[in-house]
Amino acid sequence: MDKAPAAGLAAYGGAPVRTTPWPAWPPLDDETERIVLGALRSGRWAISEMHNGEELYERRFARAFAKYHGAEYCVPTTSGTSALTIAFEGLGLSRGAEVLVPGLTWVACASAVAGVGLVPVLVDVDPDTLCMSPEAAAAAVTPRTEAILLVHYACNTADMDAFVELARRHDLALIEDCAQAHGAEHRGRPVGTIGAVGTFSMQESKVLTCGEGGASITSDPVLAGLMEQYRADGRVYTDDPGLGEPNLRDLGDVQGRNLCLSEIHAAVLLGRLNHLEAENERRRETAALLDEFLTTIDAFSPVPLQEGCTKRTYYRYCIRVDDAVRPDEVETMRVELCRELGVTCEPLHDPLNDCALYNPMGSPQKYDPALLGRLDPRGFELPESLRARNQFLTLPHFLLLGDHDDFRDLRDALRKIADAHGL
């Protein structure tokens, strides 16, 4: 690219737009540090250990997270993958049943489905929202379909009106994966509360994080009770343990496993949850400025707001590059953007039919031989997912947490790259 050096891009020896640090992620505030120190000094770091006279930090977070969403129950887990796992197990879907999964998402959405003896059916996305296409989903329903796994992706919510109706029409369980949408709302309702169950990841890159963690929320007491057992080896909370007695009691209605969140991780989440709303609002303010700025560059545009999305959460700020720009040039621009801003600006995920990390055929011993052929991701066509993967630039959410000077650096970097490419 002969214009780039003349334009002074950092990738070719020029001075970068950004030379100072961005807002720290994950952040550490005094309140969270105090809560975590309390957990560390308590001498009880796991919910499976003995009662020390204080309520479990994990139970405190579960109650606070459920209240934040207006849900009745929350079951914390070790990860978002674990949250998906106990959700599918708790729903009691038939072995070998099909679950509709968006073709453009993180690998765990498909691998968690396959890992519990179900069959992920990869469904293409809507090119405007980047979430699962209702039309493509309707076309993918078969007599073997028992559930829909929706992912509220990147910076949008899925078309909940259409999917609630599709689930009702075919008597399907509706699961909302909200790993990228903590705090988002659809028609005034928090995402994760519209389907049968909502799942969340609290991995470090998420807008609410404890490093590694997750949670499932529901208002169904039966489902909540089953998920509680599935994540704790068949155990449930002891309602009123005596000092030195176990915090969990054996029940064993189902065969569970240990997917319990540690007390330390729960303490981090308990503190950081208090800052989620303010941080999300700060991101929305910066995103609105970027939306307005992108109207000045013909080849760049933001992802439009999904009909019905009344509160948006930004896991990534996504920038669509005009289809006239070749995918290889978009990738060049992504690398240049990283250098100008001094951070890694990741591309969207690889479509799951061509994702190195989603490879059930590579470990056939893990799956029922009768299902293996149906698990092969190469049998699905995902043209819109591939097109999106090739035509988007993204900014990580913590870049949106700064002040107006930080916004100007984002704006100037994007303008510098657009000018260098003659856009």
Side-chain angles (χ1 to χ4, degrees):
M1 178 187 143
D2 55 2
K3 292 184 180 179
L9 292 180
Y12 312 104
V17 167
R18 183 76 177 196
T19 56
T20 56
W22 291 97
W25 193 265
L28 178 60
D29 59 275
D30 291 343
E31 178 189 28
T32 300
E33 185 173 10
R34 176 185 60 78
I35 296 171
V36 173
L37 280 173
L40 285 169
R41 291 168 176 166
S42 73
R44 182 192 60 199
W45 293 0
I47 69 170
S48 55
E49 290 308 308
M50 304 307 157
H51 187 53
N52 63 2
E54 298 182 2
E55 184 180 29
L56 291 163
Y57 283 89
E58 192 253 23
R59 291 201 76 170
R60 297 182 216 179
F61 168 70
R63 186 171 61 250
F65 199 60
K67 181 180 179 181
Y68 174 78
H69 288 93
E72 292 295 323
Y73 308 98
C74 169
V75 182
T77 62
T78 53
S79 66
T81 304
S82 300
L84 285 169
T85 297
I86 65 169
F88 288 120
E89 291 177 329
L91 287 166
L93 304 178
S94 306
R95 186 164 187 82
E98 294 176 353
V99 179
L100 306 187
V101 175
L104 186 66
T105 187
W106 176 240
V107 59
C109 295
S111 62
V113 172
V116 293
L118 304 170
V119 176
V121 173
L122 305 182
V123 178
D124 215 353
V125 298
D126 182 297
D128 290 328
T129 68
L130 301 181
C131 298
M132 188 190 294
S133 161
E135 294 77 17
V141 173
T142 75
R144 292 189 290 198
T145 308
E146 293 189 12
I148 304 170
L149 174 60
L150 279 181
V151 177
H152 302 295
Y153 189 71
C155 58
N156 233 335
T157 58
D159 186 346
M160 294 306 303
D161 298 337
F163 281 104
V164 166
E165 173 56 25
L166 181 64
R168 184 202 62 78
R169 188 163 68 246
H170 294 281
D171 192 26
L172 306 176
L174 184 59
I175 302 98
E176 297 177 74
D177 183 324
C178 311
Q180 302 182 21
H182 307 69
E185 294 181 358
H186 177 83
R187 302 200 188 282
R189 289 184 62 180
V191 297
T193 66
I194 302 168
V197 59
T199 67
F200 296 80
S201 167
M202 282 75 165
Q203 184 269 343
E204 185 166 318
S205 69
K206 305 303 189 293
V207 300
L208 176 65
T209 180
C210 61
E212 288 286 359
S216 293
I217 62 172
T218 185
S219 289
D220 181 335
V222 174
L223 177 57
L226 288 170
M227 292 194 297
E228 187 179 335
Q229 290 189 67
Y230 275 118
R231 68 76 197 250
D233 289 312
R235 294 172 292 177
V236 296
Y237 296 122
T238 301
D239 290 332
D240 190 22
L243 192 64
E245 295 180 351
N247 283 290
L248 300 179
R249 63 183 176 89
D250 297 352
L251 190 57
D253 291 337
V254 301
Q255 178 59 66
R257 70 193 83 180
N258 182 10
L259 301 174
C260 297
L261 189 69
S262 81
E263 286 287 87
I264 311 304
H265 288 90
V268 174
L269 290 174
L270 191 60
R272 291 304 306 155
L273 180 60
N274 293 326
H275 302 273
L276 178 60
E277 278 296 298
E279 289 172 349
N280 275 345
E281 183 57 31
R282 182 81 276 274
R283 293 184 187 97
R284 282 190 283 269
E285 291 170 359
T286 304
L289 294 173
L290 285 169
D291 287 351
E292 182 177 3
F293 163 69
L294 291 184
T295 63
T296 67
I297 301 178
D298 290 341
F300 289 170
S301 60
V303 174
L305 187 66
Q306 164 67 41
E307 168 66 23
C309 180
T310 49
K311 186 177 283 187
R312 203 169 194 175
T313 295
Y314 289 88
Y315 171 65
R316 290 174 176 169
Y317 183 87
C318 297
I319 302 164
R320 187 189 305 275
V321 183
D322 191 273
D323 286 348
V325 180
R326 299 187 318 274
D328 62 317
E329 189 174 1
V330 176
E331 173 58 17
T332 297
M333 294 165 66
R334 186 190 69 80
V335 174
E336 293 165 350
L337 185 61
C338 295
R339 295 293 298 275
E340 293 299 332
L341 297 177
V343 297
T344 297
C345 298
E346 295 181 304
L348 296 179
H349 294 107
D350 290 329
L352 288 175
N353 63 347
D354 189 27
C355 173
L357 299 182
Y358 182 47
N359 182 23
M361 312 309 286
S363 300
Q365 71 280 3
K366 292 179 62 175
Y367 305 103
D368 185 336
L371 300 180
L372 196 59
R374 295 167 59 198
L375 295 178
D376 191 343
R378 296 169 296 184
F380 300 93
E381 295 185 1
L382 303 168
E384 294 298 342
S385 299
L386 179 59
R387 185 173 292 111
R389 167 62 177 79
N390 288 335
Q391 294 301 139
F392 273 87
L393 302 171
T394 77
L395 300 173
H397 65 81
F398 61 87
L399 300 190
L400 308 182
L401 288 174
D403 56 21
H404 201 268
D405 288 341
D406 296 310
F407 158 71
R408 283 200 296 265
D409 283 348
L410 296 174
R411 177 199 64 189
D412 292 349
L414 290 167
R415 170 59 70 189
K416 186 177 178 183
I417 290 168
D419 287 348
H421 288 259
L423 302 177

